[in-house]
Amino acid sequence: MNIKDLSDEILFTPGHTACAGCGAPPIVRNIMKIFGKDTIIYTPANCLLVFGGTYPYLAWKVPYFHEAFENTGACISGVARALRKQGKKTLVVGIAGDGGTYDIGIQALSGAAERNEDVIYICYDNEAYMNTGIQRSGSTPYGAATTTTPAGTKIPGKLDHKKDMAEIMRAHEVPYVATMSIAHQRDFLEKAKKARDVEGFRYLHIISPCPTGWRFDPSLTIEMSRKAVDSGMWTLFEAEYGEITNIYKPKKKIPVKEYLMGQGRFRHFTPEMVEELQRWVDHKWKRIYGEEP
Amino acid sequence: MIQKLERKKMVITGDYAAAYGGMISGAEVVAAYPITPQTLIVEDFATFVNDGITDAEFIMVESEHSAMSACIAAQAAGARTFTATSSQGLALMHEMLFIAASLRLPIVMPVVNRTVAAPIGIWCEYNDSMPQRDTGWMQMSCEDNQEVLDMVIMSYKIAEHRDVLLPIMPCLDAFILSHTVEPVEAPSSDEVAQYLGKYEPVAKLDTENPMAIGTFAPPEYIQELRYHNHMAMENAKRVIREVTRDFARTFGHDYHGLIEEYRCDDADVVLITIGTVTGTAREVVDELRERGKKVGLVKLRFYRPFPREELQKIAERVGAIGVYDRAVSFGSGGPMFIETRHALYGHSIPIMNFLAGIGGRDVMKKDVEKMFEMLLEAKEGKTSKEIVWIGTRGVTP
């Protein structure tokens, strides 16, 4: 794919009210360049719902729809079936956050995947409930301070590790699963294109750094995405019908400490906590790449 | 599209009547999840699909919450939809019911009335549908399986009317109707298609004409939307009266609008009933009439919109009104009783509430006789009781 050939048409327009440095707008704007105008977007409750448009303003140039929080899988199923009945080939896309995917939305998501609905489900993952003010989700990494897992004197942040949602979706053996990062733009666009062209259930999972919730300099969003991948905290892969077909391996693996350092949510980390997170990353690395890090 | 179906007489369950009604009305997308005693509706519809009688899209979702979510989405994308549920399933849907009504989507959903736990029970009680009162759905109850079929067809006509555009739940009693076979006359598919016409949404998700549905909205806009929903429910009363008249002319079955009166003209007292108890109460009225008691019956069909004007007219000419309820609003009384008293504010006649059949217990003729007996006493000023529990161990009515 040649990035130069991408459409100039912007289907998610400027003027939205996302925080400076938010990872979601570049994700959405770029992915819409691949998906194009014949697309219907559903968003459950999340930041994107609010900053993408508060009536009577709207950043979307395509049909756009919201019902509730926990049901993205069911809502996109309903739209897709109605369109199939009308003989239309419109792309139906749900864009949920990590809370709407890992936690409250996992049941409807799993149901839609099992039925192999002809839709694309996107999880933009900023690792907490950012829309409601940074509460922990099933995606929040170990030790991170959120407003519901504060770095207290007794309990230092979140005690549980991040759930491997992409693996759960891979286990559904759907036509296409891909994990993505906006720091890896060609890879990002190619995966988006592949998702567009495959039929059946497609799951795209994109790391979406959040300067407000992670507490880092808003100019470093792309760098945070890259460091997440280079440290092994986030892994880029593709899977078709449950089989992994492509894994991106960073040229040089950086210590997890380098990823943590610029983020306020990890500021309270003791050496033992860094070690625990490194142990988790190393274990995952070995599982994915089949070799010691 | 559905196969050509001739006009025919069938001996069918209430659940089959509901499923047949949705199918013959041309539902294009169905999303449903099975729950006793609604299960037969889902099974029957699946059979219609798998036998090629309809080519409707059937989404076999993983919960009732997803069933309603998918129906809302499909309807928003321009499809005529159908689903059905009961009890716990309806409670799980509760959140989405508001959204269906507030997005003004004319979804039709038969509800088989069943007890909501605890304790878990599967028999008839209205504590599943009646607490959905304020979600913005129209809600009505059927007396027999013929009414179930007719009402599902009429539901589309009422819900899709431009002055209404609200979802509707026609309700049927667990087992007494859902699993009991009765002879039912079904119209032909051509007749129904001509009667309902094609579903033409006011707005829909369409990439040719992009628009947003259900966006985040500030206080500057929401109050007007609530007002319009309220007025749509008020409009529904007129539309329901028109539709039942028109249905009677077209198909020969007359349901008389929001209520149906039985021997009320010269009645001293009337009892308002709902659902299958109405059949029992009709017999009791006939027997009491033979004994010279001037009693009458009002079958309340619609709980939302509530037939305020109809009941006010009846209250002007009778000496006491009784309201039968199969659910209770704890600390207040039966839901229909509360509504009736509100509708009749300013009338000085006694209004009594009879709670019976709760949890699916049978309501016998003697129970209904007791209600009329107390109503006649109330008319004479011999009792001032308001809320009466009939057939409750340890409680004297």
Side-chain angles (χ1 to χ4, degrees), chain A residues 102-176:
Chain A
Y102 286 71
D103 298 343
I104 200 168
I106 194 169
Q107 175 179 318
L109 166 58
S110 177
E114 181 263 328
R115 296 189 304 271
N116 196 25
E117 299 285 351
D118 190 17
V119 294
I120 298 178
Y121 185 108
I122 297 173
C123 172
Y124 80 97
D125 186 352
N126 53 26
E127 300 191 325
Y129 294 85
M130 299 312 185
N131 192 31
T132 43
I134 322 166
Q135 292 85 25
R136 66 90 85 186
S137 78
S139 171
T140 305
Y142 166 80
T146 68
T147 52
T148 51
T149 56
T153 49
K154 187 177 170 199
I155 302 173
K158 192 196 180 207
L159 297 180
D160 323 290
H161 282 285
K162 182 182 174 90
K163 178 156 75 180
D164 200 338
M165 192 65 211
E167 278 294 283
I168 292 170
M169 293 317 295
R170 185 165 77 87
H172 283 71
E173 300 182 1
V174 292
Y176 191 60

Side-chain angles (χ1 to χ4, degrees), chain A residues 129-262:
Chain A
Y129 294 85
M130 299 312 185
N131 192 31
T132 43
I134 322 166
Q135 292 85 25
R136 66 90 85 186
S137 78
S139 171
T140 305
Y142 166 80
T146 68
T147 52
T148 51
T149 56
T153 49
K154 187 177 170 199
I155 302 173
K158 192 196 180 207
L159 297 180
D160 323 290
H161 282 285
K162 182 182 174 90
K163 178 156 75 180
D164 200 338
M165 192 65 211
E167 278 294 283
I168 292 170
M169 293 317 295
R170 185 165 77 87
H172 283 71
E173 300 182 1
V174 292
Y176 191 60
V177 171
T179 53
M180 296 145 76
S181 134
I182 36 170
H184 302 74
Q185 203 182 6
R186 179 179 295 275
D187 181 74
F188 178 98
L189 294 167
E190 277 169 359
K191 286 170 174 170
K193 186 166 176 293
K194 195 159 183 180
R196 181 194 67 192
D197 296 339
V198 168
E199 266 185 52
F201 195 86
R202 292 145 281 173
Y203 177 79
L204 303 180
H205 194 147
I206 310 165
I207 188 79
S208 180
C210 171
T212 310
W214 297 9
R215 287 181 279 145
F216 66 82
D217 182 333
S219 69
L220 301 178
T221 301
I222 304 298
E223 196 176 323
M224 280 301 164
S225 291
R226 184 173 294 112
K227 280 185 172 169
V229 174
D230 287 347
S231 64
M233 285 289 284
W234 187 244
T235 310
L236 300 178
F237 74 89
E238 288 176 283
E240 294 174 33
Y241 298 97
E243 296 295 329
I244 290 188
T245 52
N246 175 31
I247 310 182
Y248 171 81
K249 190 174 173 189
K251 286 182 187 67
K252 183 177 178 299
K253 179 172 182 286
I254 62 168
V256 81
K257 197 175 174 183
E258 268 186 52
Y259 172 64
L260 307 181
M261 273 195 321

Side-chain angles (χ1 to χ4, degrees), chain B residues 174-355:
Chain B
F175 298 104
I176 306 169
L177 293 184
S178 71
H179 285 61
T180 305
V181 295
E182 290 182 330
V184 171
E185 287 174 7
S188 72
S189 52
D190 287 348
E191 285 173 295
V192 178
Q194 198 185 351
Y195 173 69
L196 290 179
K198 194 177 159 8
Y199 171 55
E200 297 288 352
V202 175
K204 65 173 178 177
L205 297 166
D206 179 8
T207 53
E208 301 282 311
N209 179 25
M211 64 173 70
I213 298 179
T215 56
F216 196 65
E220 284 82 352
Y221 300 99
I222 294 179
Q223 190 161 317
E224 285 72 19
L225 295 174
R226 299 288 182 263
Y227 172 77
H228 290 307
N229 266 57
H230 179 67
M231 294 316 292
M233 193 64 92
E234 289 290 331
N235 292 343
K237 293 181 193 173
R238 170 178 56 77
V239 172
I240 291 161
R241 291 175 199 125
E242 286 168 8
V243 166
T244 53
R245 266 200 301 274
D246 185 44
F247 190 88
R249 276 196 296 269
T250 312
F251 296 101
H253 304 148
D254 195 349
Y255 294 98
H256 309 281
L258 290 94
I259 65 166
E260 192 183 325
E261 296 181 35
Y262 185 67
R263 305 188 80 162
C264 283
D265 283 347
D266 61 340
D268 289 333
V269 301
V270 298
L271 178 67
I272 301 173
T273 60
I274 185 167
T276 53
V277 166
T278 305
T280 310
R282 265 182 230 275
E283 279 193 38
V284 174
V285 166
D286 288 345
E287 287 172 16
L288 291 175
R289 283 276 178 174
E290 275 173 31
R291 283 189 253 153
K293 312 271 188 193
K294 287 162 81 175
V295 298
L297 175 67
V298 171
K299 167 184 162 186
L300 188 130
R301 301 183 65 245
F302 276 82
Y303 177 58
R304 272 292 177 278
F306 196 77
R308 188 170 58 229
E309 296 80 2
E310 282 87 343
L311 295 184
Q312 282 168 351
K313 275 187 196 149
I314 290 167
E316 278 165 19
R317 55 178 205 258
V318 300
I321 288 182
V323 184
Y324 162 73
D325 266 298
R326 203 162 199 158
V328 59
S329 176
F330 303 108
S332 187
M336 279 172 43
F337 170 67
I338 300 166
E339 293 289 329
T340 305
R341 283 259 291 230
H342 167 60
L344 301 185
Y345 180 77
H347 289 265
S348 56
I349 54 167
I351 304 172
M352 294 181 78
N353 191 196
F354 301 107
L355 293 157

Side-chain angles (χ1 to χ4, degrees), chain A residues 12-19 22 24-26 29 48 50-53 58-60:
Chain A
F12 185 79
T13 64
H16 59 73
T17 56
C19 303
C22 174
R29 193 173 58 249
L48 176 61
V50 179
F51 74 69
L58 194 69
W60 292 99

